[in-house]
Amino acid sequence: APVVRVHRDNASDTSVGTVDTQGPTVALCVVDDDGTPVGHGLVEKVAGQRGVACRAGCFCNPGACGHFVGFTPDDLRRFNAELHHSCSD
């Protein structure tokens, strides 16, 4: 099973794009065996341990983050209010 979901505006587009159309940034979500998103803190930690620099989390646009990982507005409210989680943890 795929371990990464690349976020794109057109979900039917399976290409990541080119530097001309996408630029150097790829928005993605690392998932475990059953497709559950892995928290950005763990992704950033493991990437750093392996010498890969990344910008992790959804602090720039939590609404878009929630949308891409399939959360409803109620899910986001529950994570923030009850569980004290950010949208990507």
Side-chain angles (χ1 to χ4, degrees):
V3 296
V4 171
R5 286 194 308 244
V6 176
H7 303 305
R8 54 183 69 80
D9 287 336
N10 180 357
S12 65
D13 179 8
T14 58
S15 67
V16 173
T18 68
V19 106
D20 295 329
T21 61
Q22 182 169 328
T25 302
V26 177
L28 58 88
C29 183
V30 176
V31 297
D32 63 16
D33 290 343
D34 68 0
T36 302
V38 175
H40 67 84
L42 179 59
V43 172
E44 187 173 35
K45 178 182 175 181
V46 172
Q49 291 171 339
R50 293 183 172 57
V52 177
C54 67
R55 180 176 176 184
C58 290
F59 42 84
C60 293
N61 191 345
C65 172
H67 167 77
F68 282 121
V69 297
F71 293 157
T72 67
D74 287 338
D75 292 333
L76 289 174
R77 280 189 283 278
R78 183 174 61 84
F79 283 128
N80 289 326
E82 297 173 16
L83 304 175
H84 306 290
H85 283 271
S86 67
C87 68
S88 60
D89 266 344

